[in-house]
């Protein structure tokens, strides 16, 4: 059931500009899945889905391969250009300010690209 539900989520976000977990939850229920918001949240995390801006500037969920370019440096450049409002250095720390809800997307890319000396 989990595999079918996650496949349905992938198909939905590829077909439709779903911008919230609630929208995904509602569409899954319309498709016949009995699901809760925490389950949808876990599925999105396991699938690596992230909210990205589409061509019109609206946020929507997208699969990782759609969310950013392929190369590690390109992924980081893309996510910082897309979401970083400001970057402020303080000692050995750098604070990246993002719009509400975008910090997780930046953190995921930073973790995935494994920049040396970045925790």
């Amino acid at each position: 059931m989990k595999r079918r539900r996650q496949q349905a989520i992938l198909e939905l976000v590829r077909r439709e500009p779903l911008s919230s977990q609630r929208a995904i939850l509602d569409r899954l229920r319309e498709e016949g899945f009995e699901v809760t918001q925490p389950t949808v949240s876990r599925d999105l995390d396991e699938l690596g889905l992230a909210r990205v801006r589409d061509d019109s500037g609206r946020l929507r969920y997208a699969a990782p391969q759609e969310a950013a370019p392929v190369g590690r440096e390109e992924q980081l450049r893309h996510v910082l250009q897309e979401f970083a409002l400001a970057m402020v250095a303080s000692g050995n720390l750098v604070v990246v300010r993002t719009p509400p809800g975008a910090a997780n997307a930046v953190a995921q890319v930073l973790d995935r690209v494994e920049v040396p000396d970045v925790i």
Side-chain angles (χ1 to χ4, degrees), residues 8-116:
I9 291 171
L10 288 172
E11 290 173 15
L12 286 170
V13 299
R14 285 186 182 122
R15 284 193 322 245
E16 302 174 30
L18 300 170
S19 62
S20 69
Q21 290 184 13
R22 182 66 191 183
I24 293 171
L25 175 71
D26 291 343
R27 287 294 291 120
L28 284 172
R29 287 182 176 164
E30 290 173 12
E31 298 279 328
F33 291 93
E34 292 184 29
V35 66
T36 63
Q37 188 278 327
T39 300
V40 170
S41 181
R42 279 190 300 275
D43 285 345
L44 294 175
D45 186 52
E46 289 176 16
L47 293 168
L49 297 179
R51 287 176 55 180
V52 298
R53 293 199 184 277
D54 62 16
D55 294 336
S56 65
R58 292 180 10 185
L59 287 173
R60 67 173 183 84
Y61 276 96
Q65 60 271 24
E66 299 171 45
V70 177
R72 290 167 56 179
E73 288 181 18
E74 290 84 10
Q75 286 181 5
L76 185 57
R77 184 177 303 112
H78 174 78
V79 78
L80 290 175
Q81 286 174 340
E82 185 74 26
F83 296 117
L85 300 176
M87 289 184 272
V88 180
S90 175
N92 63 343
L93 300 175
V94 175
V95 176
V96 180
R97 291 195 59 226
T98 68
N104 191 46
V106 174
Q108 284 180 336
V109 171
L110 282 170
D111 284 346
R112 193 175 10 200
V113 299
E114 300 176 350
V115 177

